[in-house]
Amino acid sequence: MNVSYRNLSLCCTVLASLVVVPAYGQGVVTTREGGANASLRSKAGHAPATAKAARPAPAATDAQPHSNVEQIRVTSHGITTSNGVNNLTPGGGLMPTQTAPRSQSGVTRDFIAKQAPTANISSLVAELPGVNYSSQDPFGLTGNNMTMRGMTQAQIGYLFEGAPMADPINYQPYTSMMVDSENLGSVTVSQGSPDMDAPLYNAVGGQISAQEINPSHHQGGFVDLAGGTHSANKEFIRYETGDIGNTGIRGFVSFSHTSYNNWRGPGGLFRYHIDSKFVKEWGDGNSISAIFSYNRQQQTAWRSPSLKQWKQYGDSFNYDGDFTRGDSLFYGLAISNLNSQTIILPSHFTLAKNLKLHVTPYYEHQFGPSNGGENIPTTGGYMGTQQYNSLVGIPKGTGSILTESIDPWNQKSSSLNMSLDWTAGHNKLSVGYWYNYTTHEELSTFNRVFNNGSYSNSPIVVADTGRILTGYDLNFKQQVNTLFIADTLKLLHDRLILSAGFRAAMVSRTGTNNVPGADPYYKAGNYFEPLPQFSASYRITKHDQIYINGTTAFRAPASVEAYSQIFDPNASHAVEQPGSLKPEYSIGEEIGFRHSGFYNVAFSLFNLNMTNHQVTSLNYIPGTNQLISEPINIGGQTSRGAQIEFGLRRWHHISPYLSGQYLHATMDNNFNAGGGNYLPTAGKVAVESPRFTGAIGLNYDDGTFFGNFALRYVDSQYTTFMNDEKIPSYITSDIALGYRMKKLGPAKAPQIQLNIMNIGDNHYLSGGSSFTTNAHPTRTVAGNMYMSNGVAKTSAPVYLVGGAFAAMVSVSAGF
């Protein structure tokens, strides 16, 4: 295990210090509107239900993931918060009550508000069972990766307010673009299957649903100012309109700025973000919400080492801080941008007492560019398969010239998701339709780099043809049509709930590559997948539930690279060929048990079988620093295991949490490496599938002083199909400490909070960036050496470097 005695000692010391704290009595929670709830803990130790939200999340979560009432809360002994903390969720916000007939976990404001204000959705769910979060950034803002049950984040469906937020083609979630953590109300993780009505076509590995907080009924706002190590800072402000006259409309608008210097290597990040949400409510369950977000973000890319490079250089394997002529590794050339504009309009209408309509139109625009340095030939290079003699404005005979390779990807997606619920007695029938239209344009260019490291705004042109020099000129279009029907029957006084449904997903794609010699120039993919689901749950007692389910899901091939070749001026042929166009298909089964109350337990067993499982690997274009997405079809995969979590409701201001998972994920087939070579991979452990993962959480909050501790363990993980290279297991831990006041002048419930990430300063590899067949010489199924041009063929994976120690202090208050 890659953990030092110092790291383990620090973790144990912090854990002990949070346990040994003075105990105070519990109070009575009242909202600012003056209504009082029952005590936090009844004589039987069970918390009461809280106010209903205007629109519940798609699946049942905590009693109050995002309440309509104002975020400021007061208890009888003086607890006041301006950030939404109410201390009602078991496990310190890590175990909201669940009732869905499947494995499901979540986090609420009780946990979210006590994390660093830079945290994103992926980093916030790292303690939940089955989640394997690979950090590169200790602040949790960017450069991260996640798997669940051996499935990558590109195989997990991401929803924000009911709309899919991942890239609709390569499925990367880019969670830092979605929402500021100060505006995030709750996150729900379904480890095995998506909702029947979810607008997703990639969720073979589960679903993550995020909900924004609802606007307050009272005018006011919230300010959060933070600063930390590595020159990190964040400034956030939210203005609440409150109820606008008698219109039934209320809303908020927020703005934030974030920046930091990279914790390893030169460069850094800046981010500007806007969130807004307006709600109109009337009658019995009628509401229309208007949600808008804007994100502008730029970051110096992280450089990924091989295992050999990591052992030799450690954290110092980075881009160069100073520019020298011809240096393609200069950090100023390795820039990535994540920009987006999002509009979501969730609407809910009660057409009749037993008939409800749900309509969610949305639009998202995501665009780059992503850049990297590359030396290209001044003469004799290639555009596609055509060799060029010279480049406009570039002297001949200089051999090569340093350029900035620019990938200005531009993607727009529009959708409409509708469903109709009809209830008759104990039966509810739901039907729905989802339509999506996506366009994607991607024209790479090469711009000349000057002697000071800056680069031209004009792309280089081939003198022979007058065309812009490019490695790919892609135009991609996609249409999705999905229909579903589901029926839910409640029996035995609603204790037995049976649900069955059928979903038909139709995806149509076309792509062209307008580069000379591209073969094929045009390629299309059409997919029709039937997706049945069944579930049953039985409430044994008021606090105990058992469930069983059988689900299916599919994923259309990931990334435009699955349809188009990629070229480079240094190669006479394509440096990447189109991947497999077969869709993934999964069949899963789960059986589980839950107990809710003073102590909360959730346990489940799962089995997942996949065909045409595609491992998405990020690899460098040969001879460059440009990462491209490469889908690899490894055939079948089976994932089996068990997960458990335990959380205690607040007891003497303390709320502990435990989670864990055992996973046995294996490849079902021998891998076809091409050229008649089959590698003996059947029965090998799947990549990125740690056998054991677990987390310990401990929360203390007496209303004035509060603290939060989290420790995560991740077992070793293979990164090659032949299981001949892996990264060691590791432990990381974080801590939060804070102090609140009731009031300070005009400031309502001001507080100061310290977050320390990776308190043991553990230096480790957190996951794989690329995955390969074998890192060392190996033999094929036929017993021959796996060879290429007479040499044993090997390929070393590259890795994500886990974020080291970082700290951040934040000061926040309501107004």
Side-chain angles (χ1 to χ4, degrees):
M1 182 189 299
N2 187 22
V3 55
S4 67
Y5 175 76
R6 178 187 64 172
N7 297 333
L8 196 57
S9 300
L10 275 170
C11 294
C12 293
T13 302
V14 171
L15 183 63
S17 66
L18 283 175
V19 172
V20 185
V21 293
Y24 297 93
Q26 299 293 313
V28 177
V29 175
T30 64
T31 68
R32 188 170 174 179
E33 280 78 356
N37 291 327
S39 80
L40 290 178
R41 195 165 48 88
S42 67
K43 292 181 181 179
H46 306 302
T50 56
K52 293 183 179 179
R55 179 176 64 86
T61 56
D62 189 36
Q64 191 171 3
H66 54 290
S67 171
N68 280 341
V69 298
E70 185 169 3
Q71 296 298 323
I72 295 177
R73 298 186 176 277
V74 184
T75 67
S76 61
H77 60 279
I79 293 179
T80 304
T81 69
S82 58
N83 55 14
V85 171
N86 58 27
N87 291 331
L88 293 178
T89 309
L94 283 164
M95 200 171 178
T97 302
Q98 308 288 347
T99 59
R102 62 184 180 188
S103 299
Q104 189 163 282
S105 309
V107 297
T108 68
R109 289 298 304 169
D110 286 353
F111 178 80
I112 296 169
K114 295 173 184 176
Q115 308 310 300
T118 53
N120 66 36
I121 292 171
S122 296
S123 63
L124 289 170
V125 299
E127 277 78 48
L128 300 183
V131 176
N132 173 23
Y133 171 72
S134 302
S135 166
Q136 287 190 90
D137 167 14
F139 295 105
L141 188 61
T142 61
N144 305 307
N145 186 51
M146 189 184 71
T147 64
M148 289 197 311
R149 296 182 178 178
M151 302 292 107
T152 68
Q153 63 184 10
Q155 293 162 306
I156 300 167
Y158 281 78
L159 296 177
F160 177 58
E161 288 285 349
M165 286 294 101
D167 185 306
I169 298 174
N170 70 23
Y171 310 126
Q172 294 302 317
Y174 307 130
T175 55
S176 66
M177 296 197 303
M178 294 184 191
V179 62
D180 274 316
S181 63
E182 291 88 347
N183 295 329
L184 187 60
S186 66
V187 183
T188 301
V189 176
S190 302
Q191 288 91 345
S193 61
D195 292 324
M196 175 62 71
D197 61 348
L200 300 168
Y201 49 90
N202 70 307
V204 291
Q207 173 183 305
I208 294 179
S209 303
Q211 295 288 330
E212 200 166 28
I213 63 172
N214 271 340
S216 170
H217 287 280
H218 299 274
Q219 188 178 30
F222 180 75
V223 175
D224 191 2
L225 305 175
T229 56
H230 312 296
S231 300
N233 65 89
K234 180 177 182 180
E235 302 83 37
F236 172 90
I237 184 169
R238 179 176 66 236
Y239 170 70
E240 303 265 9
T241 66
D243 291 327
I244 302 175
N246 296 319
T247 63
I249 298 174
R250 66 188 193 278
F252 71 75
V253 178
S254 72
F255 169 80
S256 72
H257 164 262
T258 308
S259 66
Y260 63 67
N261 295 331
N262 283 350
W263 73 270
R264 68 177 181 98
L269 169 145
F270 71 80
R271 173 182 181 263
Y272 296 95
H273 189 87
I274 296 173
D275 285 325
S276 75
K277 182 176 184 179
F278 284 79
V279 177
K280 161 71 175 177
E281 296 174 327
W282 74 97
D284 180 19
N286 298 291
S287 68
I288 296 177
S289 300
I291 298 163
F292 171 80
S293 73
Y294 166 83
N295 193 83
R296 179 170 181 252
Q297 184 170 313
Q298 179 173 296
Q299 179 193 5
T300 306
W302 310 103
R303 193 176 178 203
S304 299
S306 66
L307 190 59
K308 180 180 178 181
Q309 291 166 332
W310 168 252
K311 290 178 178 178
Q312 181 177 358
Y313 301 105
D315 294 343
S316 62
F317 185 79
N318 302 308
Y319 288 100
D320 298 332
D322 298 317
F323 179 75
T324 56
R325 186 174 181 180
D327 183 11
S328 63
L329 294 177
F330 175 54
Y331 82 95
L333 304 179
I335 302 295
S336 61
N337 291 260
L338 292 176
N339 306 305
S340 69
Q341 300 161 354
T342 304
I343 301 173
I344 311 172
L345 301 172
S347 305
H348 307 273
F349 307 100
T350 301
L351 305 181
K353 183 178 180 180
N354 61 347
L355 191 62
K356 295 181 181 292
L357 175 66
H358 311 282
V359 181
T360 302
Y362 64 90
Y363 168 80
E364 181 165 24
H365 181 199
Q366 297 181 353
F367 53 100
S370 298
N371 302 343
E374 181 178 358
N375 285 287
I376 66 170
T378 58
T379 184
Y382 292 85
M383 178 169 170
T385 58
Q386 293 183 1
Q387 192 171 32
Y388 59 77
N389 293 317
S390 62
L391 303 172
V392 174
I394 308 297
K396 291 184 178 181
T398 56
S400 65
I401 185 173
L402 178 61
T403 65
E404 177 77 328
S405 177
I406 300 176
D407 177 15
W409 54 279
N410 185 31
Q411 189 167 268
K412 300 175 182 178
S413 184
S414 303
S415 287
L416 178 65
N417 191 27
M418 302 182 295
S419 64
L420 191 67
D421 298 334
W422 177 63
T423 303
H426 298 286
N427 194 80
K428 185 176 80 169
L429 178 67
S430 300
V431 295
Y433 171 69
W434 172 45
Y435 175 77
N436 168 267
Y437 181 75
T438 298
T439 61
H440 178 98
E441 301 166 353
E442 198 168 355
L443 170 65
S444 70
T445 64
F446 297 87
N447 295 28
R448 185 175 184 177
V449 176
F450 302 123
N451 291 333
N452 61 358
S454 63
Y455 56 90
S456 170
N457 292 324
S458 301
I460 293 175
V461 174
V462 177
D464 311 46
T465 62
R467 293 184 58 179
I468 293 174
L469 179 64
T470 181
Y472 41 94
D473 183 0
L474 308 176
N475 284 275
F476 194 87
K477 293 181 180 180
Q478 171 182 281
Q479 292 192 74
V480 179
N481 289 272
T482 297
L483 297 167
F484 84 88
I485 182 170
D487 189 77
T488 300
L489 178 63
K490 296 182 179 181
L491 301 171
L492 304 178
H493 303 287
D494 295 346
R495 296 176 68 177
L496 176 63
I497 302 177
L498 304 175
S499 182
F502 181 83
R503 190 165 177 252
M506 295 156 279
V507 179
S508 175
R509 290 172 165 176
T510 60
T512 61
N513 189 357
N514 194 29
V515 173
D519 184 21
Y521 158 75
Y522 169 89
K523 199 161 190 176
N526 293 284
Y527 312 95
F528 172 81
E529 295 295 340
L531 304 168
Q533 288 191 15
F534 169 79
S535 66
S537 68
Y538 181 73
R539 184 164 47 84
I540 305 171
T541 70
K542 183 179 179 181
H543 305 288
D544 298 281
Q545 176 194 17
I546 57 173
Y547 63 86
I548 188 171
N549 66 57
T551 61
T552 59
F554 99 107
R555 186 179 79 148
S559 81
V560 292
E561 286 81 7
Y563 298 83
S564 301
Q565 294 174 314
I566 301 298
F567 294 88
D568 187 81
N570 288 287
S572 60
H573 53 81
V575 295
E576 183 178 340
Q577 296 291 343
S580 169
L581 294 184
K582 295 181 179 180
E584 290 179 299
Y585 196 88
S586 67
I587 301 175
E589 304 88 24
E590 290 180 326
I591 183 170
F593 166 79
R594 291 190 185 101
H595 173 82
S596 61
F598 176 64
Y599 67 92
N600 299 264
V601 179
F603 174 77
S604 65
L605 302 172
F606 60 86
N607 177 71
L608 183 69
N609 296 98
M610 297 190 63
T611 58
N612 294 310
H613 177 37
Q614 297 172 27
V615 174
T616 301
S617 178
L618 292 176
N619 289 312
Y620 289 105
I621 295 177
T624 77
N625 300 303
Q626 285 285 87
L627 280 170
I628 55 174
S629 177
E630 181 180 357
I632 306 172
N633 190 331
I634 65 170
Q637 179 171 313
T638 300
S639 299
R640 294 171 178 163
Q643 69 177 53
I644 189 171
E645 60 180 335
F646 169 85
L648 199 66
R649 286 197 181 274
R650 193 154 301 278
W651 176 73
H652 296 290
H653 308 304
I654 299 172
S655 188
Y657 174 81
L658 298 169
S659 73
Q661 177 183 268
Y662 167 78
L663 174 66
H664 182 63
T666 57
M667 298 174 64
D668 296 339
N669 309 105
N670 292 323
F671 181 72
N672 183 358
N677 293 301
Y678 282 83
L679 301 183
T681 56
K684 298 289 187 183
V685 176
V687 296
E688 274 198 312
S689 300
R691 180 159 295 187
F692 295 101
T693 55
I696 299 173
L698 184 63
N699 179 266
Y700 173 83
D701 193 336
D702 66 6
T704 301
F705 295 96
F706 62 90
N708 188 289
F709 172 77
L711 180 145
R712 293 176 293 276
Y713 169 77
V714 178
D715 209 348
S716 58
Q717 305 171 62
Y718 287 108
T719 52
T720 63
F721 303 153
M722 287 298 297
N723 290 176
D724 60 358
E725 187 166 298
K726 64 179 180 180
I727 59 174
S729 59
Y730 62 86
I731 287 178
T732 60
S733 55
D734 304 332
I735 188 172
L737 299 171
Y739 174 77
R740 294 192 196 98
M741 292 179 282
K742 296 179 182 179
K743 195 171 183 180
L744 183 62
K748 301 175 182 177
Q751 73 171 41
I752 183 169
Q753 178 174 306
L754 169 66
N755 288 96
I756 303 177
M757 288 68 73
N758 193 355
I759 59 176
D761 195 22
N762 191 11
H763 294 250
Y764 63 101
L765 296 175
S766 61
S769 178
S770 71
F771 307 98
T772 64
T773 55
N774 57 299
H776 304 284
T778 190
R779 294 187 178 276
T780 66
V781 172
N784 304 316
M785 287 296 297
Y786 180 36
M787 308 284 284
S788 177
N789 299 322
V791 180
K793 190 169 183 178
T794 62
S795 180
V798 294
Y799 295 92
L800 307 176
V801 179
F805 173 90
M808 176 167 278
V809 175
S810 58
V811 178
S812 63
F815 61 87

